[in-house]
């Protein structure tokens, strides 16, 4: 009898485990189609992200309370979440010091809010836990290459954008593709699950697609000549083309424009307004162009127009 | 030589940072293991008890820990406590709590099976000699259990060291994360560094885990006599 009861309970627990597991899998396959922007993420990380974002959603109902500007000032340091492995936006150099486009902006925020570039405590976040850090008020601001999406806007408040990302198309210089019409009846290399896949399938169905799971495979295929061009986020292809002689980005910006913005906890309007005012004020000195020159130029070189990436004053043309 | 990925290890303080990262992993694993062993022995004793309800509760605890991914536990403790109880635990403390929670369950189960594996004539002989219950426990049960426990608990410890790589998701910069940072910082000038950095991390884990297994087999032999 005892064994029976125990058996029933254990199998019930197991069954719920399996059911929730399937549920999670079904959910993540749905969101995977929507969630196309984390293109530099590896597949495994994307899976973790789905899982953790689900956890985040379940817990989104309540929240820890974010610090007010006065509390931050009293504390003397602002907590900003940045990436530590997303060169050139947020990374750690060989001496263990945070660097990059996001970090440069974070230091400026600290300087203008608290009077010193050093008054910032960098918290290294993962793509998967960015929302959680804000919901639980473990950081004041997230500045981690955070793409504005509908889904995320329901959980956090985005400030004005300071960068934009679109698709880019890289191809051999000898047969440079400068217009998507040229791709007709040619082979375009795509990484599965990226924005590029959705965009070309919807808008240029006549383009033949050669799909890969990983970035490295896609780049190898382009090098081998298995395709005529490769498309993914422009930040990615632009950097790659600089490193690989004989290839150039013929189309620097195509498809829907995604904006990248700082985020604060939902409802933290005081800090949100402060950041928005800051971004508007910084336009006067072309701060983000200076930031580009300091952090991104060495990666993208002179060949591209900074205006394709940088947003000044929060205005996207 | 220019293209060899191994050069990234000798840039700046990279190599030192890897060791610091490993030290972080090791600290979390060792502290959690210490608590797990202490709590696990108690849990194991409770699990061998006669009370059905207690045993059922233990069983539920054990199954929950086994079914629930550690990642979810980490998120619940690190972010959950901050949101629901306003408790701002540091990421290291959260990691130790989660790994102790997990380790205690696993350890408890190991202790339980070690206890049960002691033949009944052992303690019956003890009682026959007129020993008290606690004397049987400390002089007969414990010494034999410890010997049976050693291999499996060392196994648990090395599993724990390896599983600490999950704590990066709550912001602890441990060895694998440092490795990723190094690879990423060099992604434009040394694209081939990944194999070298991960290879180094592999050897570092080995260097740490191997002495434990040597020590356990030595102890096992010594305790046998």
């Amino acid at each position: 009898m005892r064994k029976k009861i125990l058996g029933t309970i254990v199998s019930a627990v197991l069954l719920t485990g399996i059911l929730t597991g399937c549920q999670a899998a079904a959910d993540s396959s749905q969101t995977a189609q929507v969630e196309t922007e984390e293109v530099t993420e590896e597949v495994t990380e994307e899976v973790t992200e789905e899982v953790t974002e689900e956890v985040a959603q379940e817990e989104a109902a309540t929240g820890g309370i974010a610090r007010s500007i006065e509390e931050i000032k009293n504390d003397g340091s602002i907590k900003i979440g940045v990436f530590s492995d997303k060169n050139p936006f947020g990374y750690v150099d060989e001496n263990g010091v945070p660097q990059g486009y996001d970090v440069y902006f974070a230091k400026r925020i600290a300087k203008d809010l608290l009077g010193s570039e050093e008054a910032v405590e960098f918290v290294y976040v993962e793509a998967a836990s960015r929302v959680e850090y804000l919901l639980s008020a473990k950081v004041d601001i997230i500045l981690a290459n955070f793409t504005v999406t509908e889904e995320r806007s329901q959980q956090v408040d985005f400030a004005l954008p300071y960068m934009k990302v679109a698709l880019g198309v890289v191809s051999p210089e000898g047969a440079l593709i400068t217009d998507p019409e040229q791709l007709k009846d040619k082979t375009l290399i795509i990484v599965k699950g990226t924005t590029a896949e959705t965009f070309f399938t919807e808008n240029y169905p006549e383009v033949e697609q050669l799909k890969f799971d990983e970035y490295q495979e896609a780049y190898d295929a382009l090098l081998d000549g298995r395709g005529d061009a490769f498309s993914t986020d422009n930040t990615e292809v632009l950097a790659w083309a600089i490193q690989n002689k004989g290839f150039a980005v013929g189309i620097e910006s195509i498809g829907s424009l995604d904006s990248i913005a700082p985020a604060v906890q939902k409802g933290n309007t005081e800090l949100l307004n402060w950041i928005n005012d800051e971004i508007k004020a910084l336009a006067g000195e072309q701060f983000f162009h200076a930031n580009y020159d300091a952090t991104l130029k060495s990666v993208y070189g002179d060949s591209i127009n900074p205006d394709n990436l940088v947003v000044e004053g929060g205005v996207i043309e | 030589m220019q293209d060899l990925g191994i050069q990234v290890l000798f840039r700046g303080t990279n190599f030192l940072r890897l060791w610091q990262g490993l030290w972080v992993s090791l600290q979390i694993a060792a502290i959690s293991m210490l608590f797990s062993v202490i709590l696990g022995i108690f849990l194991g004793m409770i699990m061998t008890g006669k009370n059905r309800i207690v045993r059922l509760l233990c069983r539920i605890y054990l199954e929950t820990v086994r079914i629930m991914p550690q990642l979810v536990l980490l998120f619940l403790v690190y972010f959950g406590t901050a949101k629901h109880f306003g408790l701002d635990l540091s990421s290291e403390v959260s990691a130790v709590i989660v790994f102790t929670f997990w380790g205690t369950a696993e350890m408890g189960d190991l202790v339980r099976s070690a206890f049960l594996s002691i033949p009944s004539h052992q303690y019956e002989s003890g009682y026959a000699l007129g020993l008290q219950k606690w004397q049987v426990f400390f002089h007969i049960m414990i010494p034999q259990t410890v010997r049976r426990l050693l291999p499996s608990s060392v196994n648990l410890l090395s599993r724990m060291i390896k599983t600490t790589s999950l704590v990066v998701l709550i912001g602890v910069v441990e060895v694998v994360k440092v490795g990723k940072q190094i690879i990423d910082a060099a992604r434009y000038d040394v694209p081939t560094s990944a194999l070298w950095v991960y290879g180094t991390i592999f050897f570092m884990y080995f260097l740490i885990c191997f002495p434990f297994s040597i020590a356990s087999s030595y102890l096992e032999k010594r305790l046998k006599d």
Side-chain angles (χ1 to χ4, degrees):
Chain A
M1 185 60 199
R2 202 174 67 216
K3 266 189 181 163
K4 242 183 188 171
I5 296 174
L6 197 66
T8 325
I9 289 168
V10 171
S11 45
V13 172
L14 276 174
L15 198 66
T16 15
I18 291 165
L19 283 178
T20 42
C22 294
Q23 181 66 34
D27 282 353
S28 55
S29 65
Q30 271 178 357
T31 37
Q33 288 177 334
V34 188
E35 180 81 45
T36 49
E37 64 91 30
E38 290 304 337
V39 284
T40 45
E41 296 292 318
E42 282 160 32
V43 178
T44 46
E45 285 189 4
E46 254 171 34
V47 174
T48 353
E49 177 167 10
E50 302 303 342
V51 174
T52 45
E53 281 197 355
E54 261 167 39
V55 177
Q57 275 160 20
E58 278 165 21
E59 300 213 334
T62 52
I65 295 149
R67 298 194 293 175
S68 67
I69 290 183
E70 202 191 324
E71 282 171 310
I72 295 170
K73 280 186 174 160
N74 286 339
D75 182 48
S77 119
I78 184 164
K79 288 186 211 164
I80 300 184
V82 293
F83 276 135
S84 65
D85 55 2
K86 202 150 234 153
N87 194 353
F89 303 106
Y91 66 100
V92 177
D93 69 9
E94 63 253 37
N95 295 313
V97 182
Q99 302 287 355
Y101 187 80
D102 292 341
V103 172
Y104 192 92
F105 182 35
K107 284 183 178 164
R108 180 60 188 250
I109 288 177
K111 191 182 167 201
D112 290 345
L113 186 69
L114 302 166
S116 162
E117 279 196 354
E118 303 302 317
V120 49
E121 183 189 328
F122 287 108
V123 178
Y124 298 142
V125 299
E126 297 294 304
S129 48
R130 287 176 294 190
V131 171
E132 279 291 305
Y133 272 98
L134 287 175
L135 289 179
S136 58
K138 295 259 181 192
V139 298
D140 300 308
I141 308 173
I142 287 279
L143 264 183
N145 207 19
F146 213 5
T147 309
V148 182
T149 65
E150 188 68 31
E151 205 184 338
R152 287 174 181 158
S153 305
Q154 291 167 3
Q155 297 188 312
V156 302
D157 277 344
F158 284 105
L160 292 170
Y162 61 100
M163 217 183 99
K164 57 187 173 184
V165 183
L167 297 175
V169 180
V170 61
S171 46
E173 273 171 349
L176 196 65
I177 307 284
T178 51
D179 190 293
E181 292 300 327
Q182 291 173 330
L183 281 168
K184 212 168 182 172
D185 301 323
K186 284 186 179 162
T187 308
L188 179 69
I189 300 166
I190 293 280
V191 176
K192 283 179 199 162
T194 58
T195 339
E197 185 182 11
T198 338
F199 175 75
F200 279 97
T201 313
E202 276 173 16
N203 299 291
Y204 298 94
E206 69 279 13
V207 176
E208 206 164 306
Q209 294 184 5
L210 180 63
K211 297 178 188 180
F212 292 97
D213 284 315
E214 294 197 20
Y215 279 84
Q216 201 51 51
E217 292 175 301
Y219 284 126
D220 288 344
L222 183 64
L223 287 167
D224 298 346
R226 274 179 276 166
D228 299 292
F230 171 47
S231 178
T232 186
D233 273 15
N234 56 3
T235 49
E236 192 68 24
V237 288
L238 286 165
W240 186 83
I242 302 287
Q243 302 299 316
N244 290 271
K245 290 206 168 60
F247 289 89
V249 179
I251 306 170
E252 281 187 10
S253 181
I254 187 178
S256 66
L257 209 56
D258 281 327
S259 49
I260 288 174
V264 299
Q265 194 182 68
K266 195 140 198 74
N268 189 3
T269 32
E270 189 194 18
L271 188 59
L272 187 74
N273 291 338
W274 187 90
I275 298 171
N276 284 341
D277 292 342
E278 171 82 356
I279 288 176
K280 283 179 200 152
L282 289 174
E285 53 174 282
Q286 294 282 293
F287 171 80
F288 289 105
H289 281 81
N291 187 349
Y292 177 91
D293 289 340
T295 56
L296 302 186
K297 201 172 182 180
S298 58
V299 175
Y300 297 122
D302 297 320
S303 55
I304 76 151
N305 184 356
D307 291 328
N308 276 344
L309 296 177
V310 169
V311 175
E312 289 286 359
V315 187
I316 297 181
E317 293 98 37
Chain B
M1 195 61 197
Q2 266 301 310
D3 291 314
L4 266 187
I6 197 168
Q7 56 162 313
V8 296
L9 289 175
F10 303 107
R11 283 189 185 170
T13 54
N14 280 355
F15 199 57
L16 188 67
R17 282 170 57 215
L18 273 181
W19 282 108
Q20 282 167 346
L22 191 66
W23 178 234
V24 172
S25 308
L26 200 62
Q27 270 178 313
I28 291 175
I31 296 173
S32 312
M33 195 63 198
L34 184 72
F35 286 128
S36 300
V37 168
I38 297 169
L39 296 172
I41 289 175
F42 282 110
L43 183 73
M45 279 157 41
I46 294 170
M47 280 168 103
T48 48
K50 290 213 166 61
N51 192 325
R52 276 183 215 171
I53 295 165
V54 171
R55 270 166 47 179
L56 183 69
L57 287 176
C58 292
R59 192 83 208 155
I60 290 173
Y61 166 51
L62 184 64
E63 294 301 328
T64 315
V65 173
R66 285 193 176 154
I67 289 170
M68 191 116 73
Q70 278 102 14
L71 189 63
V72 175
L73 288 175
L74 283 171
F75 266 61
L76 280 177
V77 172
Y78 184 62
F79 295 114
T81 53
K83 280 190 293 193
H84 302 298
F85 310 116
L87 213 63
D88 192 15
L89 294 175
S90 82
S91 40
E92 284 84 0
V93 171
S94 314
V96 169
I97 292 174
V98 169
F99 282 105
T100 306
F101 184 70
W102 170 54
T104 303
E106 295 278 352
M107 196 67 202
D109 201 36
L110 296 176
V111 172
R112 182 191 61 86
S113 58
F115 268 134
L116 292 181
S117 74
I118 295 171
S120 57
H121 66 78
Q122 288 284 332
Y123 47 85
E124 276 164 8
S125 320
Y127 291 134
L129 287 171
L131 295 179
Q132 294 293 313
K133 211 172 178 185
W134 66 268
Q135 286 174 315
V136 170
F137 198 77
F138 280 99
H139 297 297
I140 298 174
M141 303 288 275
I142 293 274
Q144 298 193 66
T145 313
V146 168
R147 198 174 71 211
R148 278 159 219 246
L149 267 180
L150 261 177
S152 45
S153 48
V154 170
N155 181 23
L156 181 64
L157 175 64
S158 54
R159 259 165 68 207
M160 211 174 254
I161 294 175
K162 285 175 280 188
T163 319
T164 49
S165 58
L166 279 180
V167 298
V168 62
L169 276 150
I170 57 168
V172 182
V173 181
E174 46 66 71
V175 60
V176 177
K177 185 65 187 178
V178 176
K180 277 189 181 172
Q181 290 175 350
I182 292 173
I183 293 166
D184 189 74
R187 72 186 267 212
Y188 295 115
D189 48 348
V190 194
T192 54
S193 62
L195 187 68
W196 291 96
V197 173
Y198 284 132
T200 312
I201 293 173
F202 165 79
F203 277 110
M204 287 164 86
Y205 270 127
F206 181 78
L207 276 179
I208 294 300
C209 293
F210 192 57
F212 284 121
S213 77
I214 297 261
S216 88
S217 59
Y218 169 75
L219 277 174
E220 209 182 330
K221 262 186 209 141
R222 250 198 54 174
L223 289 173
K224 216 166 213 167
D225 303 326

